[in-house]
Structures are given as C-alpha cells and as structure tokens.
Amino acid sequence: MARSPLLNVMVAAARKAGRGLTRDYGEVENLQVSMKGPGDFVSAADKRAEQVIHDELKKARPSYGFLMEERGVVEGDDPQHIWVVDPLDGTTNFLHGIPQFAISIGLEKAGQPIAGVIYNPVTDELFTAERGGGAFLNDRRLRVAGRREMADSVIGTGVPHLGRGDHRAYLAELQQVMANCSGVRRVGSAALDLAWTAAGRFDGFWENGLSPWDISAGILMVREAGGYVTDVNGKDKIAETKTVVAGNEHIHRQLIDTLQKARTPR
Ligand code: IPD
Ligand code: CA
Ligand code: CA
C-alpha cells in the first residue's frame, strides 16, 4: 500500500521500536516467575523504545518538537508541529506478559492531530491515519461499527486501579453503561482501545484521566474512520476535562447521554 512520506517515517520509527519491544517482551515472559517481577526491566524497555522513536523522527523532521511520555516536552524550531508519543502504551499488560500493548505516535499541527500510527508489535497490527486520508489496519481501510443502538453495543473503557482515578465516580458511570449495553471490555491500552473503535471492534469507548500521548493518534484514527471523539460533554475540551468519549454518531451520542446520567447529582 502506498503511504505518504510522512506516514512512512512514522511507520518506520514504530516498527524499529517494535522490534526492540518484541525482544524485551519475550524476556519479560521469562521474568514473571521472579518474586520482584520485571518492573525495572520494563522501565528500561520503555525508555529504549522512546529513544529509538525520538532518534528516527528527529532524523526525518529535525525541526519538529516532541511531547513524549517519558521525557516530556522537547521544544523544536518549528512551533507548529509536535510529535506526541507513547513508546509503550499498555505497560501493565507488557509487565504481566499480556500481548495487548502498542507504540503510539501522533503528529499534531497547531494543536490538531494530522497523522497517527498505533502499532502492536506482537500481533503485527499496524493502524495508520492521516487527516483527510482515511484510517487503515495494515492495508485495509477502516470504518467505525454501524450499530445504532447502545443496547446492541460492546463498549471499551479504562478502569481505575490502586492509586489511580476516582473510583466512586467511575463506578457510577460503569453502572449506567453496563445496564444499557451488550458488554463492557477493558483491554489495557487506550491507544488500542481507540484503534479498535476505529476498526469497529468496539462500538464505543470512554475513559477519564488519559494523557495526550495515550490518545492523540487514536483520536485521529476514529475520526478518519467516520467516528466522533469528544469530551464527556460532547465538546472539544478533551485535554482540559481529561475525559474522552468515542463512537459512531449514534453510539457516541447515546454514550454521552448515558454517562451524563451518572454525573447528574441526584
Ligand atoms: C495506560 C493505558 C491504559 C489506561 C491508562 C494509561 P500506559 O497507559 O493506556 O489503558 O487505562 O490510563 O495510563 O501507562 O500503559 O502507557
Ligand atoms: Ca499510555
Ligand atoms: Ca506508556
């Protein structure tokens, strides 16, 4: 499949980092038996992947800036373009030998996503999108699911855990969603959650507390597959509210209405 020179640069960086992560993932599987667990090893793998991606993208677009999960903001000479990168999304899955994690590389121009790559090196699933150019899984064009009723839908989400998130507020949201859909799924990688929504595997997705590097590429992926992505109020204040809701126009709307019921003070 012919990709743009920009996407080729992003795909090459993701695949190069993916080769290292696949090797490290094989080692992590062996380390599960150790009492201490592979935490330090995974942190090193995460940083190695970020370094590979940084060096590849810097070589190809020297003037662009970076927002990377591990190293934060790296200013570029070009104030318009910034790479938004999570070198390993789904760290806990990786740590536990669960094969659902991804490299997420987004490119934003004037604060808006214009290109995205989400790559699971274990399954070799490469999700790509470019503004106005559609979304793809490997060489197949993606469309969001066509279901119109939330009752028939499977909804992806992210669940708070020890030390993370507002448990009470989330449980109120989950209570509303689970009572009005065919199933809820928690994969463990927000980037893959959005890519799967773009691919129609999930009919909708919502999560609170995500960071720009978790979702920049995935937001574009869903929109280029014909879906909608907003904050929980249906507005474009995803970063400010740290809420994200995605789906086709019917499910996106119904999911927002359902979540609002959990937020309305009784
Ligand atoms: C995490 C994953 C997870 C989401 C968390 C994120 P990380 O990213 O995307 O699915 O629920 O909120 O922090 O930490 O594995 O890069
Ligand atoms: Ca992440
Ligand atoms: Ca990460």
Side-chain angles (χ1 to χ4, degrees):
M1 185 185 101
R3 292 193 182 97
S4 70
L6 170 64
L7 270 185
N8 280 332
V9 162
M10 298 168 72
V11 167
R15 286 194 181 279
K16 186 171 183 181
R19 287 193 288 276
L21 282 178
T22 303
R23 183 194 61 245
D24 292 339
Y25 178 70
E27 186 55 31
V28 163
E29 286 185 299
N30 297 330
L31 293 174
Q32 292 307 318
V33 294
S34 71
M35 288 301 285
K36 184 172 177 290
D40 295 342
F41 181 85
V42 169
S43 302
D46 204 337
K47 288 180 174 59
R48 273 195 295 274
E50 185 169 281
Q51 188 64 51
V52 166
I53 294 166
H54 172 273
D55 294 349
E56 287 296 304
L57 297 178
K58 187 72 178 170
K59 191 166 44 178
R61 297 286 187 281
S63 65
Y64 288 11
F66 290 83
L67 170 57
M68 306 185 94
E69 181 177 14
E70 301 305 322
R71 71 182 68 196
V73 175
V74 179
E75 298 285 345
D77 297 334
D78 177 342
Q80 290 282 308
H81 290 89
I82 186 163
W83 300 109
V84 184
V85 178
D86 190 344
L88 174 54
D89 184 63
T91 315
T92 302
N93 284 352
F94 187 94
L95 186 73
H96 288 265
I98 300 168
Q100 287 296 355
F101 54 89
I103 292 148
S104 184
I105 302 174
L107 179 60
E108 296 189 359
K109 181 178 181 182
Q112 291 303 314
I114 61 169
V117 167
I118 297 170
Y119 179 51
N120 181 338
V122 174
T123 62
D124 199 28
E125 288 192 321
L126 177 70
F127 296 88
T128 61
E130 200 162 3
R131 189 165 63 183
F136 295 82
L137 168 52
N138 298 333
D139 294 341
R140 178 168 66 87
R141 182 134 193 174
L142 298 179
R143 285 298 295 174
V144 289
R147 288 181 188 81
R148 292 175 170 239
E149 297 303 328
M150 197 163 141
D152 304 326
S153 297
V154 168
I155 307 293
T157 188
V159 181
H161 49 76
L162 175 64
R164 179 78 183 267
D166 182 336
H167 293 201
R168 180 185 301 274
Y170 178 80
L171 284 172
E173 293 181 348
L174 179 61
Q175 188 173 15
Q176 291 291 337
V177 173
M178 63 193 251
N180 291 283
C181 75
S182 288
V184 177
R185 299 290 183 271
R186 200 288 192 259
V187 167
S189 161
L192 284 179
D193 292 332
L194 286 165
W196 286 19
T197 302
R201 295 174 181 173
F202 287 161
D203 299 287
F205 169 73
W206 98 97
E207 186 166 349
N208 308 321
L210 291 169
S211 300
W213 47 79
D214 296 317
I215 57 178
S216 178
I219 287 171
L220 182 71
M221 210 75 67
V222 173
R223 289 173 176 164
E224 285 298 318
Y228 291 71
V229 190
T230 66
D231 65 22
V232 73
N233 302 307
K235 308 279 190 228
D236 196 20
K237 296 202 177 301
I238 293 170
E240 297 86 337
T241 62
K242 290 186 83 67
T243 62
V244 61
V245 182
N248 71 26
E249 62 176 316
H250 308 287
I251 304 304
H252 173 255
R253 180 71 261 160
Q254 292 169 47
L255 187 48
I256 285 177
D257 292 344
T258 302
L259 292 168
Q260 289 297 333
K261 286 180 195 154
R263 290 167 166 262
T264 309
R266 291 171 190 264

